[in-house]
Amino acid sequence: MMKRKKALYLLREIGNIDDRLVQEALLYRAGRASPRVLLVAACIAMSLLLVLGTFAVSMMSRKGEDSDAPQGGAPMQDHTQRVEALDEMLVSSRDSIAYTTVTSQSELEFFDGKAYVVWQYADSTGYCVSRALTAAEADALIRSAEGGSDVGINSPDPQCRVWILLGDGTVISPYLKSSAGNVGIGTLFDYDPELIPSQSFTSRLSDILS
Amino acid sequence: MEDKKIVDLYWLRNEAAIGESERKYGRMLRSLSFSLLSSHEDAEECVNDTYLDAWNAMPTARPDFLGAFLSKITRRISIDRFRAAHREKRGGLDTVVEELTDCVPSGDSVEKEYENGRLADALNRFLYQQSSEKRAMFIRRYFYSQSIAEIARALTTKESRVKVTLFRMRDALKQELEAQELL
């Protein structure tokens, strides 16, 4: 019992350590990757490029075959009228939207005072990062993130995980309800989706990334 | 708004200081309090109390790092609330407290050392002797109450490495406190 009481005192006293240390702990980022890790990353990137290149060539040749086909087939689906889910938008426009990629969280800026959207495709271990948002864009995006609808019982798992970095260390996700327990500090967190992000969120993000 | 400008608002007794603090740090403070108390309602009250404490502290305080300053207040208030409520229910702090019992030898009273600030000095000395990475692990775990998994992700390392590092740091801290006859 005495040890527990002491531990509580110690815990409380840890709250009196230097502000500089408290700040540093959140700002600290792991050191750069070793040359060996970089070599492995480069190999993976080359393999991905090869796969994507092969896929692109096969799609182009298929498109050529389709254009030779007679015009009496089924009508083309009008994708512009379809309400897209956030992850569908990110997946379908993967090659056309603007973003940078990082291989680990340590390369992300959590505390630079700027907001970013970060997402991770299910088939990738890296992270995609939007450009820095303006204050107005960040405000509008966060507001529209609050308009999501509850996840249904049979909803498929999203193909991406998405977070918003607010620039002061806090991290939220459009897939989670707004609450204190759904906020990360200086880290991207795993989550099970609670919300389907609103169409307005998807549209805004699409505009930002275009 | 920059921290310095928000602090200036506190010094000018301008109530916008609280709104700006909430806008910039509200989410972080709620998250910190929630990680300690596991209660949204309690976390909300602790954050509101934080702004009141900050309002009373400035002036005379002029913190260089407002986020750290407010975090400390939230943390202190949350721990006080945890201790007050502990007879009735158990909150998210239990695991962290259990881990910290590794650092303290059994023995006499602790209030005196706690009150005269020697313990805080010893903790600062101990932490400054560690590498930045070790300090980050320790403070994220025992100041911010982040989980091992969260720390591992944030620092891009394995959970097992975080656990082992924290275990060794607790042991080293215990020896340090014993050597200085603290706790």
Side-chain angles (χ1 to χ4, degrees):
Chain A
M1 194 63 197
M2 177 56 90
K3 282 190 87 172
R4 186 175 172 80
K5 189 179 174 188
K6 284 183 178 185
L8 267 169
Y9 271 109
L10 184 58
L11 182 75
R12 182 164 170 160
E13 203 61 3
I14 288 170
N16 288 327
I17 58 178
D18 281 359
D19 285 1
R20 195 176 304 277
L21 292 175
V22 174
Q23 190 85 353
E24 179 209 54
L26 286 183
L27 292 172
Y28 177 78
R29 292 283 169 269
R32 294 283 172 210
S34 67
R36 191 176 165 189
V37 171
L38 290 175
L39 186 65
V40 171
C43 289
I44 292 170
M46 290 289 283
S47 308
L48 272 173
L49 274 176
L50 196 64
V51 170
L52 284 172
T54 311
F55 179 72
V57 168
S58 95
M59 287 300 287
M60 281 169 67
S61 61
R62 189 179 295 175
K63 200 179 264 184
E65 286 169 16
D66 288 349
S67 64
D68 293 340
Q71 296 296 312
M76 289 276 284
Q77 190 179 352
D78 182 0
H79 286 280
T80 59
Q81 295 301 312
R82 189 166 155 264
V83 175
E84 273 188 313
L86 173 59
D87 61 324
E88 287 175 8
M89 183 276 284
L90 290 171
V91 170
S92 66
S93 53
R94 191 169 182 170
D95 298 328
S96 58
I97 53 180
Y99 61 89
T100 55
T101 55
V102 297
T103 53
S104 74
Q105 286 197 42
S106 60
E107 296 171 60
L108 295 170
E109 296 291 349
F110 289 95
F111 296 92
D112 67 351
K114 296 170 187 164
Y116 301 89
V117 178
V118 176
W119 65 98
Q120 184 180 44
Y121 292 106
D123 61 0
S124 169
T125 55
Y127 299 93
C128 304
V129 188
S130 74
R131 63 170 168 79
L133 311 186
T134 64
E137 284 174 334
D139 279 351
L141 201 61
I142 291 165
R143 270 202 304 277
S144 59
E146 287 163 5
S149 52
D150 284 347
V151 170
I153 297 169
N154 296 319
S155 293
D157 286 337
Q159 300 167 75
C160 305
R161 293 189 300 168
V162 183
W163 302 268
I164 305 173
L165 279 51
L166 301 185
D168 61 354
T170 47
V171 180
I172 58 175
S173 171
Y175 282 100
L176 295 177
K177 292 174 181 172
S178 175
S179 78
N182 285 339
V183 178
I185 304 174
T187 180
L188 303 182
F189 46 85
D190 285 331
Y191 61 80
D192 291 321
E194 298 170 353
L195 294 174
I196 299 168
S198 67
Q199 177 59 23
S200 107
F201 180 89
T202 304
S203 303
R204 281 184 196 284
L205 183 58
S206 177
D207 288 345
I208 289 167
L209 299 178
S210 62
Chain B
M1 185 180 279
E2 289 175 20
D3 281 3
K4 187 179 175 305
K5 289 181 180 169
I6 301 176
V7 172
D8 286 343
L9 289 175
Y10 277 105
W11 274 68
L12 294 169
R13 314 310 289 158
N14 185 333
E15 289 181 11
I18 291 173
E20 292 298 333
S21 300
E22 165 65 17
R23 202 180 332 275
K24 189 165 182 182
Y25 294 110
R27 284 176 192 269
M28 184 178 86
L29 299 177
R30 273 184 199 83
S31 177
L32 170 58
S33 184
F34 181 82
S35 71
L36 296 167
L37 298 169
S38 306
S39 159
H40 293 295
E41 293 78 13
D42 288 349
E44 188 66 36
E45 287 179 26
C46 287
V47 173
N48 290 335
D49 290 348
T50 298
Y51 299 137
L52 181 64
D53 265 27
W55 181 261
N56 291 330
M58 293 183 280
T60 53
R62 188 177 272 286
D64 291 327
F65 306 104
L66 184 62
F69 180 78
L70 294 173
S71 296
K72 282 182 169 184
I73 298 176
T74 302
R75 188 177 178 281
R76 174 175 50 76
I77 292 172
S78 301
I79 291 173
D80 284 349
R81 185 172 286 247
F82 169 83
R83 295 176 74 178
H86 193 65
R87 288 188 193 89
E88 295 161 26
K89 60 177 182 178
R90 297 200 142 209
L93 262 176
D94 277 307
T95 323
V96 172
V97 173
E98 286 302 322
E99 286 179 21
L100 283 177
T101 56
D102 292 351
C103 301
V104 294
S106 51
D108 300 329
S109 165
V110 293
E111 287 87 344
K112 192 178 166 194
E113 308 300 350
Y114 168 73
E115 282 168 7
N116 66 19
R118 283 181 61 203
L119 193 48
D121 291 343
L123 279 168
N124 280 326
R125 271 198 305 278
F126 171 76
L127 288 170
Y128 275 117
Q129 287 166 5
Q130 311 298 318
S131 68
S132 297
E133 186 186 42
K134 285 181 178 175
R135 276 202 296 268
M137 285 183 189
F138 189 90
I139 294 170
R140 279 177 179 266
R141 180 68 181 143
Y142 299 116
F143 184 95
Y144 288 103
S145 292
Q146 289 188 339
S147 69
I148 302 292
E150 283 176 317
I151 297 169
R153 269 199 304 279
L155 303 184
T156 331
T157 188
K158 291 179 180 173
E159 290 184 32
S160 56
R161 187 161 166 263
V162 176
K163 278 185 198 168
V164 169
T165 304
L166 288 173
F167 175 78
R168 288 178 180 157
M169 287 186 81
R170 290 198 301 269
D171 194 44
L173 178 59
K174 181 181 177 183
Q175 288 178 25
E176 185 84 18
L177 296 177
E178 278 180 331
Q180 295 182 43
E181 297 181 343
L182 291 167
L183 284 182

